[in-house]
Amino acid sequence: MTDQQLWQNILAGDEESWAQLIQRYQSLVYAVASRAGLSMADISDCFQQTWVSLYNHRKNLTNPSRLSAWLVTTAKREAFRLKELASRTVSDNLDSQEPDGRFLPDEELEHLENQAHLEIAIDQLDRRCQDLVELFFFAPENLSYKQIASTLGIPMNSLGPIRKRCLERLRKILIKNGFEGIRNDDSNPL
């Protein structure tokens, strides 16, 4: 389901869609909170408050296709609020450490959002294409075509055409999901 479809179900009161949405974006929200330099307790608070805020503002969200951006912005603001709160409560003695004030640069937030979109799209591929994409792009080491073909149990000369079809499916899913980092034409290989 696209974010828009999930959102319509959420607005209709479907709790399963709400759980799916959280599962879809939990790693993105957690990454924003954890990379902001918060303590573990504050990361947990930031994560929870981001989802509470989304729930509280669910009727006001006008563009569900931008949901991941909304979550990133909200988590970033909540992390900033928590860091400010922590910096006010830190004692002035020399043994205490002030928070370092580091926040994620916009480019890193954009990268995290793009990564979340890609993970969601890969999850929507059939199992064979998921395995192929993971072996080509996410394996801990570079594998040869022969190793990948052997792992997938397909002839090596079929691997290139299958890879091309899987990447095309992935591109179409990204477009369908409203990912803005990809053009809807043939000039973009992915």
Side-chain angles (χ1 to χ4, degrees):
M1 267 194 270
T2 66
D3 286 350
Q4 290 179 329
Q5 292 166 327
L6 274 177
W7 196 249
Q8 291 306 314
N9 291 349
I10 288 167
L11 292 177
D14 182 15
E15 291 181 22
E16 172 133 350
S17 292
W18 180 252
Q20 282 182 302
L21 186 72
I22 291 173
Q23 183 176 1
R24 181 176 287 182
Y25 287 114
Q26 66 187 356
S27 62
L28 174 64
V29 173
Y30 181 82
V32 172
S34 65
R35 292 185 183 180
L38 298 173
S39 69
M40 286 305 291
D42 284 345
I43 289 170
S44 179
D45 289 346
C46 181
F47 182 86
Q48 182 176 350
Q49 189 54 44
T50 299
W51 292 108
V52 168
S53 184
L54 178 61
Y55 181 80
N56 289 339
H57 292 94
R58 68 191 180 282
K59 304 268 191 223
N60 302 330
L61 190 67
T62 58
N63 189 358
S65 67
R66 299 285 303 143
L67 188 56
S68 60
W70 191 97
L71 288 167
V72 165
T73 300
T74 303
K76 184 178 176 182
R77 287 178 183 159
E78 183 61 20
F80 180 76
R81 186 188 72 76
L82 289 168
K83 282 189 78 102
E84 287 293 310
L85 184 62
S87 70
R88 281 187 249 138
T89 59
V90 172
S91 71
D92 289 337
N93 81 34
L94 295 174
D95 292 333
S96 69
Q97 289 204 334
E98 294 270 339
D100 61 13
R102 285 185 307 120
F103 286 97
L104 292 174
D106 289 341
E107 305 86 50
E108 192 170 346
L109 289 171
E110 184 177 338
H111 175 73
L112 289 171
E113 185 179 351
N114 290 344
Q115 183 178 341
H117 281 288
L118 184 59
E119 289 172 5
I120 290 165
I122 290 171
D123 284 345
Q124 293 174 0
L125 288 170
D126 61 77
R127 185 76 233 156
R128 180 169 141 178
C129 284
Q130 285 178 9
D131 292 343
L132 183 139
V133 167
E134 291 194 16
L135 288 170
F136 266 104
F137 301 106
F138 301 108
E141 58 195 49
N142 289 334
L143 300 174
S144 69
Y145 262 54
K146 185 176 182 178
Q147 291 170 312
I148 293 172
S150 174
T151 301
L152 295 174
I154 59 175
M156 195 168 80
N157 62 349
S158 298
L159 191 55
I162 293 170
R163 177 179 181 252
K164 183 177 179 179
R165 285 192 298 273
C166 289
L167 291 176
E168 180 58 26
R169 288 180 192 144
L170 182 59
R171 184 178 77 81
K172 287 179 179 178
I173 290 169
L174 286 165
I175 290 168
K176 182 184 108 190
N177 290 352
F179 179 63
E180 295 176 0
I182 193 165
R183 293 188 311 241
N184 191 5
D185 64 18
D186 293 329
S187 65
N188 193 335
L190 181 62

